[in-house]
């Protein structure tokens, strides 16, 4: 269960931070600030990438920047606002792949791959609950780009938003599975293939293939294919095509409602 969530801070102060551009405020009294908001965001992101989200505290970020914790509060109101800042910053910096063609299917696959790459680069992002997303410039640019990928499906506005949530939810689920794979390997100091090979004799003593013939047959085939009980990478590749197939069916329904002939999108 996620313990960190976006938009947990003061909304007015968060929006001022995210949309302030990282520049020193005109008319601000006192000495010129030694750091900028983008520098603070970069330091927090580097800390999260290296040590995980739990390591990102106001004190730790201040130390990384050579500031006192109290000095950091003159830039960022608190930990909740800092979390929104780093999240919006990674959204703004997301690379956008060039799709194979201009059809909605290729564009949507590119959106999914973009988000998968984001989670791979910054695994901690998947641990943040974003039911109330930070409405910063990074998120809004991301949302605009992703919605445009679905143009051509012929859906209404609410359906388009739901379709995007469907795609992003799938990618998020796969990202968590991939993170679980990595965590298991790190904690056991063994790959999945090594773990299964090392425990094969123990499992053979308790598992009865005659009692569970389907599980035995299919599990063996999957294990041989993946070197483990499952593969997050294979699940992503297989599932993304099924997600796109589902959207194609939704497109066909929308066209049928409007009395239009089916249209293929390679």
């Amino acid at each position: 269960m996620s313990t960190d969530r976006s938009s947990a801070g003061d909304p007015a102060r968060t929006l001022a931070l995210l949309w302030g551009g990282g520049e020193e405020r005109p008319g601000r009294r006192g000495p010129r600030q030694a750091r900028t908001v983008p520098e603070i965001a970069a330091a927090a992101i580097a800390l999260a990438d290296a040590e995980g989200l739990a390591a990102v505290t106001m004190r730790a970020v201040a130390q990384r920047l050579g500031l006192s914790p109290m000095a950091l509060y003159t830039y960022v109101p608190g930990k909740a606002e800092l979390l929104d800042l780093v999240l919006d910053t990674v959204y703004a910096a997301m690379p956008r792949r060039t799709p194979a063609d201009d059809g909605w299917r290729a564009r949507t696959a590119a959106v999914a791959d973009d988000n998968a790459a984001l989670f791979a680069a910054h695994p901690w992002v998947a641990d943040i609950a974003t039911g109330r997303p930070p409405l910063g410039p990074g998120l809004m640019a991301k949302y605009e780009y992703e919605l445009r990928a679905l143009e051509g499906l012929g859906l209404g506005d609410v359906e388009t938003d739901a379709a995007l949530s469907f795609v992003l939810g799938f990618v998020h689920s796969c990202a968590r599975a991939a993170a679980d794979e990595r965590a298991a390997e790190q904690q056991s100091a063994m790959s999945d293939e090594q773990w299964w090979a090392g425990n094969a004799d123990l499992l053979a003593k308790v598992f009865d293939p005659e009692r569970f013939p389907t599980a035995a047959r299919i599990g063996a085939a999957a294990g041989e294919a993946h070197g483990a009980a499952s593969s997050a990478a294979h699940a992503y590749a297989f599932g993304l095509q099924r997600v796109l197939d589902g959207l194609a069916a939704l497109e066909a329904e929308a066209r049928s409602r409007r009395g239009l002939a089916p249209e293929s999108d390679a």
Side-chain angles (χ1 to χ4, degrees):
M1 193 76 177
S2 295
T3 56
D4 292 287
R5 64 180 179 86
S6 58
S7 295
D10 179 81
R13 300 176 81 183
T14 298
L15 290 175
L17 176 68
L18 297 183
W19 291 91
E23 301 297 330
E24 191 167 350
R25 296 187 299 275
R28 180 185 178 275
R29 296 182 180 181
R32 182 178 179 83
Q33 290 184 299
R35 295 290 184 175
T36 66
V37 169
E39 287 176 332
I40 293 168
I45 291 167
L47 189 60
D49 289 345
E51 302 181 34
L53 193 60
V56 181
T57 64
M58 295 294 282
R59 180 176 294 277
V61 173
Q63 289 176 344
R64 197 176 186 95
L65 291 165
L67 299 172
S68 69
M70 290 307 296
L72 184 59
Y73 282 101
T74 67
Y75 298 87
V76 180
K79 170 67 181 295
E81 292 83 4
L82 176 63
L83 188 63
D84 284 345
L85 174 64
V86 298
L87 195 56
D88 199 67
T89 300
V90 296
Y91 286 159
M94 282 179 67
R96 294 174 181 170
R97 304 177 186 225
T98 301
D101 58 63
D102 195 41
W104 69 261
R105 191 173 181 116
R107 293 196 308 266
T108 304
V111 164
D113 289 342
D114 290 345
N115 280 274
L118 171 70
F119 289 127
H122 309 290
W124 49 270
V125 173
D127 295 329
I128 302 174
T130 55
R132 296 178 180 176
L135 300 180
L139 172 72
M140 296 311 298
K142 178 179 184 290
Y143 186 49
E144 176 74 16
Y145 168 73
E146 291 170 347
L147 289 173
R148 288 180 180 274
L150 296 170
E151 289 181 343
L153 272 169
L155 306 179
D157 290 348
V158 175
E159 281 184 314
T160 299
D161 180 76
L164 178 58
S165 295
F166 175 51
V167 174
L168 298 184
F170 161 75
V171 178
H172 182 269
S173 177
C174 288
R176 295 302 297 266
D180 289 344
E181 277 189 0
R182 291 192 297 270
E185 288 191 5
Q186 291 170 358
Q187 291 168 9
S188 66
M190 291 186 290
S191 68
D192 278 352
E193 187 170 5
Q194 291 170 328
W195 187 90
W196 283 102
N199 290 282
D201 290 343
L202 292 174
L203 294 171
K205 292 178 181 179
V206 297
F207 181 72
D208 182 359
E210 294 185 359
R211 183 180 179 188
F212 307 107
T214 307
R217 185 186 79 251
I218 294 179
E224 183 177 353
H226 307 313
S230 62
S231 164
H234 180 268
Y236 175 79
F238 178 86
L240 178 57
Q241 295 307 310
R242 307 296 76 77
V243 167
L244 297 175
D245 290 344
L247 293 179
L250 194 61
E251 176 198 29
E253 291 178 7
R255 293 183 65 83
S256 177
R257 287 196 302 267
R258 299 197 307 273
L260 301 176
E263 181 178 282
S264 64
D265 186 312

